[in-house]
Amino acid sequence: MKRAVFLDRDGVLNIEVGYIHKVEDLHLIPGIAEAVRRLNDRQIFCCLVSNQSGPARGYNPVSHVEALHKRLCQLLENEAGAKLDALYYCPYLSAAEGGTNPEFTRYTTWRKPNTGMLVAAAWEHDLDLRNSFMVGDKATDVDMAHNAGCTGILVQTGYGKSVLSGEYQHHTKPDFIAANLAVAVEWILQHLD
């Protein structure tokens, strides 16, 4: 079984701008491609896990989410020769949470803080969740990590600072708080040695 680093998308890899309506508006946070490349160089499995409720809210089709992920992967490759080993996302949302498109409106174990995406990734790629890390900018990312037995890291990019101040979502207890993904990766690598 392999260790993994699970990465949220918006606010961790790319700049948080709310719902991205134009694919070309997705931009990496500076220094992030190099951070992912450091994980790649150590043969650590890098996996995107992201709530993407746009299809359920009727904002955009699944093909738009896929196009954003294609751009994300291209930018990582272009900037630092970095890659994600797998990408998982949840386009579903319950009606109570705001889902309106019948095709994607439902409760699912894949939506954070539920562990469905992590369990699917672990099953499909032989990953050791108990010795893996989740990096996110929301309380739900840290909660999902802990629900699955992973180490939960909160970055202060994206919504991270608002989570820490209590202005966004709810208080949570990350195992580590990092300024950004580059700092989180440095901490992860120290804990792997």
Side-chain angles (χ1 to χ4, degrees), residues 11-189:
V12 175
L13 293 170
N14 58 272
I15 296 167
E16 172 61 63
V17 293
Y19 290 92
I20 303 173
H21 300 290
K22 291 186 188 155
V23 173
E24 59 271 19
D25 288 342
L26 184 145
H27 300 285
L28 295 182
I29 294 170
I32 293 314
E34 291 80 5
V36 174
R37 176 63 192 266
R38 288 188 72 195
L39 296 171
N40 296 156
D41 289 347
R42 291 285 296 271
Q43 274 95 49
I44 298 162
F45 193 89
C46 290
C47 183
L48 178 87
V49 284
S50 182
N51 280 351
Q52 292 296 325
S53 64
R57 296 180 193 273
Y59 295 167
N60 50 52
V62 163
S63 59
H64 178 72
V65 179
E66 300 278 356
L68 288 170
H69 290 163
K70 186 175 179 185
R71 175 171 168 83
L72 175 74
C73 291
Q74 194 63 58
L75 291 172
L76 288 169
E77 170 65 34
N78 292 351
E79 284 193 24
K83 71 178 171 61
L84 299 172
D85 296 295
L87 292 84
Y88 291 83
Y89 67 93
C90 179
Y92 304 105
L93 192 66
S94 69
E97 291 181 290
T100 57
N101 178 343
E103 189 183 351
F104 297 103
T105 298
R106 62 171 154 284
Y107 171 81
T108 174
T109 59
W110 273 46
R111 185 156 178 84
K112 299 173 190 175
N114 299 316
T115 59
M117 287 187 282
L118 297 183
V119 171
W123 180 256
E124 291 172 17
H125 300 283
D126 193 31
L127 306 176
D128 179 0
L129 292 179
R130 295 233 167 256
N131 286 301
S132 293
F133 303 83
M134 170 68 210
V135 184
D137 67 322
K138 294 182 178 176
T140 46
D141 293 315
V142 175
D143 296 346
M144 176 182 65
H146 292 162
N147 290 341
C150 295
T151 298
I153 299 171
L154 184 75
V155 291
Q156 295 182 64
T157 46
Y159 288 103
K161 285 183 181 156
S162 298
V163 169
L164 290 171
S165 69
E167 294 167 46
Y168 185 80
Q169 288 188 336
H170 55 270
H171 282 290
T172 186
K173 290 197 170 8
D175 298 291
F176 182 65
I177 297 167
N180 53 42
L181 180 59
V183 175
V185 166
E186 185 66 42
W187 187 84
I188 289 166
L189 293 177

